[in-house]
Amino acid sequence: MKQNLTPGNDAISQLAGEFNKLPGIGPKSAQRITYHLLRVPEEEARLLAEALLSLKQKVHLCTTCGNVTETDPCPICCNTMRDASQICIVEQPQDILALEHTGIYHGFYHVLHGAISPTDGVGASDIRIRELLGRLENGVIKEVILATNTNLEGEQTAMYLSQLITPLGIKVTRLARGLPFGTELEYADDVTLTRAIEGRQVF
Ligand SMILES: [Zn+2]
């Protein structure tokens, strides 16, 4: 668990406490950012505050794929130039960014918003699997590409989905093993990810 800053009611401790809750930001960084903001012009601090609020007000989930978007359906789901026969399953919206960055995949996506993890109490009904099955009913999708992370939860989820989807007569593939075990997709480099998509295998 993260070491929390000494609690205090003053504005500095409060803001530093909030930063300390963010991923990858420890107490020292939280303090550094807070003191940095104390020095910047008020206008700059206001822009940051507004950007934060606007993020929460404008960005929602695409009701089709679960990607984060300001329009619904999202721009990817609306793109008629994409290959409707392929759907790539990812755990988080950031994973779409990583895959889109490779420029090699032109099908659609489905974001699960998590992975099956019995130890954390996350079951199949807690992630967007029901929505996925609904999308597979139209008969247009010929290939489901499992691009969940290569850690234990990602592998368990891929296995579960494969057992669920293969009987529907849809080809199920998994990204190639070029990705080292334990890799979170969003941190994989373009070359590795491109090889993983190209070398995907029937799962
Ligand atoms: Zn979408």
Side-chain angles (χ1 to χ4, degrees):
M1 286 301 285
K2 266 184 169 183
Q3 176 201 348
N4 286 315
L5 292 170
T6 319
N9 294 324
D10 58 294
I12 291 179
S13 308
Q14 250 177 24
L15 185 59
E18 291 306 315
F19 283 130
N20 190 207
K21 291 178 188 169
L22 302 176
I25 301 194
K28 285 229 171 99
S29 299
Q31 225 153 35
R32 199 175 311 131
I33 298 168
T34 305
Y35 278 92
H36 166 78
L37 288 172
L38 266 177
R39 288 192 301 269
V40 305
E42 191 166 335
E43 172 64 8
E44 207 173 305
R46 197 174 57 77
L47 287 176
L48 174 68
E50 281 174 3
L52 271 175
L53 287 176
S54 151
L55 178 80
K56 296 308 288 180
Q57 285 160 0
K58 290 185 186 163
V59 182
H60 301 283
L61 296 187
C62 171
T63 49
T64 304
C65 72
N67 191 11
V68 286
T69 177
E70 292 189 20
T71 57
D72 191 22
C74 74
I76 293 179
C77 287
C78 287
N79 187 346
T80 52
M81 302 296 284
R82 299 190 76 108
D83 183 352
S85 72
Q86 290 181 322
I87 189 164
C88 180
I89 316 298
V90 295
E91 292 183 23
Q92 302 296 343
Q94 306 90 289
D95 300 333
I96 294 184
L97 283 184
L99 288 161
E100 283 296 284
H101 200 253
T102 66
I104 197 172
Y105 176 69
H106 304 291
F108 288 108
Y109 292 97
H110 189 84
V111 188
L112 295 172
H113 289 275
I116 295 171
S117 173
T119 47
D120 296 320
V122 182
S125 57
D126 298 316
I127 56 178
R128 300 178 73 254
I129 291 179
R130 200 180 322 110
E131 291 86 342
L132 170 64
L133 294 177
R135 295 181 72 185
L136 298 181
E137 278 172 3
N138 64 11
V140 176
I141 293 159
K142 303 292 176 218
E143 180 182 1
V144 170
I145 301 166
L146 301 172
T148 48
N149 293 332
T150 60
N151 53 21
L152 188 62
E153 293 78 19
E155 291 295 342
Q156 278 172 346
T157 308
M159 186 63 74
Y160 179 85
L161 288 174
S162 167
Q163 287 166 353
L164 207 60
I165 298 166
T166 306
L168 305 177
I170 297 170
K171 183 176 167 191
V172 176
T173 57
R174 178 88 171 109
L175 291 193
R177 304 288 161 175
L179 293 168
F181 186 80
T183 298
E184 289 190 29
L185 215 65
E186 66 172 304
Y187 300 119
D189 65 275
D190 278 355
V191 176
T192 308
L193 211 46
T194 298
R195 281 194 195 135
I197 300 170
E198 284 176 338
R200 65 183 184 276
Q201 289 161 348
V202 174
F203 191 65

